[in-house]
Amino acid sequence: MALDTSVPNQKVTIKAGTVLFPEGSAANSLNVLHSGALRYLVEAPGSRKLELFKISGANLTPGASALFGSGRYPFTIVAEQDCVLSTYVMSPSTVGRSLAARSSLGIMVGRSLLREITESFKKVNQLRKIASDMGKTNDNLSLLYYQFNPSVFPDIKPGQPIADPSSEIVDPVLRLARENLKHYFDNGGILPERPTANYVEEDHSQLLVKYYPEEIEFQDGEFNFVRKIILADPNLLAQLFAPDPGMVSYVCDKLGRVQNNITENAKSILEELDEDFSLLLGGVESLTEKYFLILDMAANGYATAPPEFVVPILQVVSQKIERALAGHQALFGSAIPGPSPNIKSFLEKTAGLAKKFEASNPTAKAASNGSGVSVDGSADATAIRKELANSASTIIQFSGMGGDAIKEFSAMMVKLKSLKNPLDSDNDTRKLRRSITKTYFDIYAACFQKYINSGKNVPKPVDLMLKYGFFDETMLDDSQLVFMSTFKDAITSVSDIPIHYGTEWLEKIYKRECPTSLDELGQNFFDKVKMDNRNAVFKKESDLPPDIDNPEARLKFEFGAMYEANVRLTTGSLATYLPILTKYHSQIPLGKAYVTKKMLTDTIHDIMAVDFSVFNREVIYNNPEMGINKEFVQRAIVPDFVIVPSIGSKIMMWQELSIHRGSGSKESRGRIVLPIFVQGDLKSLLIDAFAAFRWELCKTILGPEWNNVGNPSITADYMDYVQFYKKNKDLSIEIKEKLAAEFKRFRNERDIFANDYQLWIKYEAEGVQRLNRVVRGIFYRHIPFARTIREKVSKMPAFGEINNRFVNIRTRKFTELENRYKKYINALGSLPDPLRENMEFYRV
């Protein structure tokens, strides 16, 4: 029976187990806890109860947030121990006046609310992480379900458009799979030919147009200010609130609203969790049941995929089921309602099948732990493995590492190789990988220095490490070793795209053929030298003495500033990062993941065939002999592309200019870094990098004006759109609501822009409308399509008006240039190339 609060100003003792205030009941009192402990519970779907937190002690005001919200308790409060409580009749309409009259009571309420907020926040973030993990798991399993049982999706073909799921599809797993496959393939996703356990753990949110936040979004400057106030010394607060008693009630009102919002957030996440648990474990239409059928097919020899692929995934599903069952029990103190009928059979049969498979196949254990497959050991593979025997030892000895360091590093490598999966994201494995990574790069740097000094004459294991990140032949499959040992990439003709493999780039830095890069703090080599030598007066790079500025020093800086950082960042998965290439990294054969110079060149040209001005910028052209002084012309300056020895799903736009200050800075090349083994669609990843390049180049060149709508630019106009879309009369209410939800998926405006840029290049260029009219207008003005594409889309109603506007603006500009350039025409009737190319840029 709930506590009777109708008695005014009572002091009562409550027995343990008593429900003080049921969720949803009216709040008509302010309650002060003198002693004891309380539990706060919220109701989850399916009549389950979740404990939010417990509090104990004295001078607490449990449930006061209800007086600052709807007037009803958002949770149930239960006595955990015998409690002594005082109750004071109060309502949402009178609480403000009561607290203003007694500031000491208001301070007690504020501090109590802050404690509840802190405890709630911890629990809600715990729920958020669980929901994020389960959502990611369910989405990834839905993709693999299609791969393992394609007969259920006879109309779906990779690379072909997928229709939106029919309303007639009631099976939640089939509906989820279709929705995910549509987004995955539309965004350039490629399912792994060799599915691995790692695939289930990876984040494919960008391809799936999903968002897996591990913490709730909470950025409230007002709350942070109020929090600091209420934690101040009570005596100071009494003086602060004395002139204006209403301040204390305002502080409590703010804290009460924050607490209510967090509680509502918890309930929203619980609904999401209920759906996640149901998808994985609930009833006959769950992922468990779908994979139970796959298990049966595998056990009977009818699976469409080889057992070395299916069994590891089934083992992961089994682990996910066990973890979800235990997690549900821990959260709600009860078993999941309406579970799948075959959960127990699934767990038992999977364990039995795994043992049977391992017993019949000596390589099964390795395969079950990663992407390794059983390869028919040909003579070539055997010879190559023999040639690379003891590679780790060869590399370490070649590096010149000291004896103690060798012992320590070797011990760490032995421990790493003993793990079931060295890419696991648990804390102990991550710490081990971090320690190995630091020493590995010391070895890599030492080996590269010897590689340069010896005229590139190094042992084969060292050569493979420098190229691919190879280190230990026992951690790779035969097929992977064969590929790395035998493949040679050479671009057949001179390319207009400056592409460099990692070793080629480091060599250019060593020979001073290219300036050093910026580090992660935005410092270049000269900045770093000045920081390290603060007592010396160096005004420019030419002031640096040879003992500070030499090839070795520049190489060391570049290695630490750009190279090592990008080997890490291009993996796209920092939680599982390991620079040493293993069979656990690769989801597709290395030969298909490898980025050749020709492939990269062709893909860049494909994108430039749509966005012809992607690398253009306005620079100054001078030609004193012809009387040309400070003419602004458009010039395409293609960035350097550096391919580093890593495997991953991220291409980094490292810097938009290689020289950020002084003469020639705006004409310097940018730097884009990509992994040598790409896990994903190369074109989609490059489009993302080009979007970042466009954005950052515009910001750098315009400086403070980059966000000024009075000076139109892609960044200024797009920022104005993102910030004020809710007031935009050209957008419907439905589109505004959709944008509000869409923008939450992204960290910043540049990421939102990159997403729209993908749609612009892939779909709008084909006449398929994926953007709203406002974004389409901004992009058509600042990121125009190539002429042939403009001619095609301009006939469509969505592009007609903006194309006419574009043509008028460009025509005026062309006419202006034509008139101004007449004085520069020579006797043969021609213009200097920069001026002629500038006119061509504006020709419609």
Side-chain angles (χ1 to χ4, degrees):
M1 181 177 179
L3 173 67
D4 180 10
T5 57
S6 62
V7 181
N9 302 341
Q10 63 175 328
K11 187 173 184 179
V12 293
T13 300
I14 307 296
K15 294 293 184 183
T18 303
V19 175
L20 278 71
F21 311 109
E23 182 176 336
S25 62
N28 53 21
S29 65
L30 179 68
N31 314 286
V32 178
L33 179 68
H34 300 293
S35 64
L38 301 172
R39 297 171 65 214
Y40 287 59
L41 309 171
V42 291
E43 189 166 325
S47 300
R48 287 166 284 187
K49 295 284 187 183
L50 172 79
E51 181 181 295
L52 274 180
F53 56 88
K54 297 176 184 177
I55 61 170
S56 61
N59 299 324
L60 300 173
T61 57
S65 62
L67 295 170
F68 302 100
S70 64
R72 297 188 175 275
Y73 288 101
F75 32 58
T76 297
I77 303 180
V78 182
E80 174 76 2
Q81 303 169 359
D82 290 352
C83 301
V84 177
L85 228 74
S86 289
T87 67
Y88 303 93
V89 175
M90 214 169 287
S91 68
S93 61
T94 63
V95 66
R97 294 194 300 273
S98 299
L99 298 183
R102 289 182 58 192
S103 62
S104 59
L105 179 61
I107 294 170
M108 181 194 301
V109 171
R111 292 191 167 190
S112 184
L113 284 170
L114 186 58
R115 184 168 170 184
E116 289 181 358
I117 289 170
T118 303
E119 296 298 327
S120 296
F121 193 73
K122 290 177 187 175
K123 188 67 175 185
V124 173
N125 273 339
Q126 179 192 356
L127 294 174
R128 180 66 270 161
K129 189 171 190 325
I130 295 171
S132 174
D133 289 342
M134 288 198 68
K136 181 169 60 177
T137 295
N138 289 344
D139 285 333
N140 292 346
L141 289 179
S142 73
L143 295 172
L144 290 180
Y145 176 60
Y146 159 75
Q147 193 165 13
F148 287 143
N149 199 8
S151 60
V152 180
F153 309 88
D155 58 316
I156 293 181
K157 306 293 181 188
Q160 296 182 8
I162 300 174
D164 290 322
S166 166
S167 58
E168 298 175 0
I169 301 175
V170 295
D171 187 310
V173 172
L174 295 184
R175 173 171 285 276
L176 176 69
R178 284 182 171 274
E179 289 172 351
N180 285 338
L181 287 166
K182 175 177 175 57
H183 289 303
Y184 194 81
F185 290 144
D186 280 355
N187 289 311
I190 302 173
L191 289 171
E193 292 186 18
R194 298 158 25 151
T196 71
N198 284 339
Y199 188 84
V200 183
E201 306 289 349
E202 288 177 349
D203 187 335
H204 304 113
S205 55
Q206 286 192 323
L207 294 172
L208 295 173
V209 196
K210 294 285 181 80
Y211 183 41
Y212 305 120
E214 295 192 351
E215 293 183 352
I216 61 171
E217 295 181 2
F218 189 76
Q219 296 179 346
D220 189 332
E222 186 183 357
F223 165 74
N224 291 328
F225 178 68
V226 168
R227 171 179 167 275
K228 291 178 180 178
I229 289 177
I230 205 65
L231 289 176
D233 183 277
N235 294 324
L236 291 175
L237 287 179
Q239 296 177 36
L240 175 66
F241 295 144
D244 185 359
M247 286 179 64
V248 70
S249 59
Y250 174 82
V251 167
C252 292
D253 179 70
K254 173 62 182 180
L255 294 172
R257 284 184 283 117
V258 169
Q259 167 65 354
N260 290 328
N261 287 339
I262 293 176
T263 306
E264 287 303 310
N265 216 318
K267 293 178 180 179
S268 174
I269 297 172
L270 284 172
E271 291 178 2
E272 184 182 335
L273 267 175
D274 180 61
E275 184 178 339
D276 290 335
F277 277 119
S278 181
L279 271 169
L280 182 62
L281 302 168
V284 295
E285 292 180 341
S286 64
L287 281 162
T288 297
E289 292 301 303
K290 298 293 190 287
Y291 275 86
F292 185 72
L293 295 176
I294 294 172
L295 171 62
D296 263 353
M297 289 190 291
N300 297 321
Y302 296 116
T304 55
E308 58 264 32
F309 300 160
V310 179
V311 173
I313 301 299
L314 292 173
Q315 286 180 286
V316 172
V317 177
S318 181
Q319 293 166 7
K320 294 291 184 182
I321 290 172
E322 290 180 324
R323 190 179 304 171
L325 291 172
H328 189 281
Q329 184 69 39
L331 282 175
F332 303 107
S334 63
I336 186 170
S340 303
N342 289 303
I343 286 179
K344 185 177 180 181
S345 297
F346 185 96
L347 298 176
E348 292 174 350
K349 285 190 175 182
T350 300
L353 183 64
K355 287 181 181 178
K356 179 181 176 182
F357 179 59
E358 288 179 15
S360 62
N361 187 343
T363 62
K365 189 172 183 180
S368 68
N369 292 336
S371 63
V373 293
S374 176
V375 179
D376 183 18
S378 66
D380 286 343
T382 303
I384 287 170
R385 191 170 283 279
K386 185 176 180 181
E387 180 186 9
L388 296 175
N390 300 316
S391 288
S393 177
T394 302
I395 293 169
I396 292 172
Q397 294 296 331
F398 183 81
S399 72
M401 179 188 282
D404 292 340
I406 289 176
K407 288 180 182 178
E408 184 180 350
F409 184 70
S410 299
M412 289 191 292
M413 285 299 298
V414 168
K415 185 175 181 181
L416 184 79
K417 290 164 67 175
S418 70
L419 297 174
K420 185 176 181 181
N421 186 345
L423 303 185
D424 277 341
S425 56
D426 63 274
N427 285 336
D428 290 341
T429 307
R430 289 171 76 169
K431 287 179 183 176
L432 177 63
R433 287 200 300 267
R434 279 198 296 270
S435 299
I436 288 174
T437 296
K438 184 180 183 305
T439 308
Y440 168 81
F441 277 115
D442 290 340
I443 294 171
Y444 191 105
C447 287
F448 183 80
Q449 187 66 65
K450 289 190 173 183
Y451 169 85
I452 290 290
N453 295 341
S454 66
K456 306 179 184 179
N457 183 22
V458 295
K460 189 163 189 176
V462 174
D463 185 53
L464 296 183
M465 178 187 71
L466 297 176
K467 286 180 180 176
Y468 306 113
F470 165 84
F471 193 78
D472 189 323
E473 80 285 353
T474 66
M475 301 184 78
L476 291 158
D477 290 334
D478 283 353
S479 60
Q480 295 167 328
L481 292 176
V482 169
F483 172 79
M484 287 189 288
S485 296
T486 59
F487 183 80
K488 295 189 186 309
D489 176 27
I491 198 159
T492 53
S493 58
V494 177
S495 172
D496 58 335
I497 310 293
I499 301 173
H500 323 271
Y501 286 121
T503 52
E504 295 172 344
W505 179 256
L506 291 176
E507 187 176 356
K508 283 183 175 291
I509 296 295
Y510 185 81
K511 294 179 177 178
R512 300 192 71 153
E513 294 175 5
C514 293
T516 54
S517 304
L518 300 181
D519 64 14
E520 291 181 279
L521 298 176
Q523 295 178 314
N524 61 20
F525 176 71
F526 184 55
D527 295 330
K528 186 70 166 58
V529 169
K530 286 197 297 182
M531 285 289 292
D532 294 342
N533 299 270
R534 296 185 182 183
N535 295 328
V537 181
F538 301 131
K539 294 184 178 180
K540 52 185 182 297
E541 281 198 31
S542 58
D543 294 338
L544 299 179
D547 61 320
I548 292 178
D549 185 7
N550 52 60
E552 288 75 18
R554 285 181 169 267
L555 179 61
K556 182 179 179 181
F557 174 82
E558 183 73 7
F559 194 82
M562 187 281 277
Y563 202 77
E564 182 179 341
N566 278 288
V567 171
R568 178 180 79 253
L569 293 170
T570 53
T571 63
S573 179
L574 302 185
T576 60
Y577 169 60
L578 177 69
I580 295 171
L581 182 63
T582 73
K583 61 190 172 188
Y584 305 92
H585 283 91
S586 182
Q587 297 158 18
I588 55 178
L590 292 186
K592 294 194 174 181
Y594 185 83
V595 180
T596 66
K597 288 186 177 181
K598 184 178 187 310
M599 180 196 308
L600 181 55
T601 301
D602 291 346
T603 308
I604 293 169
H605 284 155
D606 283 347
I607 300 171
M608 292 177 70
V610 178
D611 182 6
F612 70 96
S613 62
V614 61
F615 300 128
N616 272 68
R617 67 200 68 171
E618 201 170 57
V619 298
I620 295 175
Y621 171 62
N622 293 309
N623 190 333
E625 294 178 1
M626 296 188 65
I628 300 173
N629 185 35
K630 290 188 177 180
E631 282 286 356
F632 287 95
V633 298
Q634 286 285 337
R635 184 178 167 199
I637 302 171
V638 182
D640 284 303
F641 289 83
V642 184
I643 305 175
V644 295
S646 70
I647 179 167
S649 58
K650 183 73 175 175
I651 294 178
M652 296 299 301
M653 196 294 295
W654 190 246
Q655 54 194 85
E656 67 284 359
L657 301 172
S658 54
I659 303 172
H660 276 73
R661 290 183 292 273
S663 175
S665 59
K666 289 184 180 179
E667 298 178 55
S668 63
R669 297 183 185 276
R671 281 170 195 177
I672 293 177
V673 189
L674 60 158
I676 197 165
F677 298 112
V678 166
Q679 303 286 287
D681 179 52
L682 178 62
K683 185 174 182 179
S684 297
L685 297 177
L686 277 172
I687 291 173
D688 265 345
F690 288 3
F693 179 84
R694 263 194 172 278
W695 186 269
E696 295 302 325
L697 183 66
C698 188
K699 285 181 67 176
T700 299
I701 288 180
L702 292 181
E705 292 291 298
W706 77 273
N707 197 15
N708 179 9
V709 289
N711 182 15
S713 66
I714 184 62
T715 51
D717 290 353
Y718 196 83
M719 284 291 290
D720 184 66
Y721 153 71
V722 172
Q723 291 173 347
F724 302 110
Y725 72 92
K726 290 182 180 178
K727 299 179 181 178
N728 199 312
K729 295 178 181 179
D730 291 329
L731 299 174
S732 66
I733 295 175
E734 292 78 10
I735 290 177
K736 290 176 183 178
E737 290 175 350
K738 183 180 178 183
L739 289 175
E742 182 79 2
F743 289 171
K744 289 181 180 179
R745 294 196 301 112
F746 302 99
R747 293 175 300 174
N748 51 46
E749 290 83 0
R750 194 183 85 174
D751 288 349
I752 302 173
F753 169 75
N755 182 68
D756 283 347
Y757 184 74
Q758 283 270 2
L759 300 177
W760 182 247
I761 299 297
K762 288 184 177 180
Y763 297 101
E764 296 277 335
E766 297 294 328
V768 179
Q769 295 173 33
R770 289 292 186 90
L771 298 173
N772 62 61
R773 59 184 298 182
V774 176
V775 176
R776 186 176 297 113
I778 294 171
F779 277 28
Y780 207 92
R781 179 179 184 180
H782 298 292
I783 312 176
F785 295 132
R787 187 176 297 135
T788 53
I789 298 176
R790 291 201 306 271
E791 290 172 354
K792 180 179 67 174
V793 300
S794 63
K795 299 172 185 177
M796 302 176 65
F799 291 92
E801 183 182 343
I802 55 178
N803 180 69
N804 289 338
R805 193 181 310 127
F806 174 83
V807 169
N808 290 337
I809 292 171
R810 287 295 177 106
T811 301
R812 282 200 300 271
K813 181 69 174 178
F814 181 84
T815 303
E816 175 194 331
L817 294 175
E818 192 174 34
N819 292 331
R820 190 161 80 240
Y821 289 173
K822 284 180 180 178
K823 57 187 175 184
Y824 301 135
I825 296 176
N826 63 19
L828 299 176
S830 62
L831 283 169
D833 286 346
L835 300 185
R836 179 181 53 77
E837 290 168 2
N838 193 46
M839 287 191 64
E840 284 301 313
F841 180 84
Y842 289 104
R843 187 189 297 276
V844 177

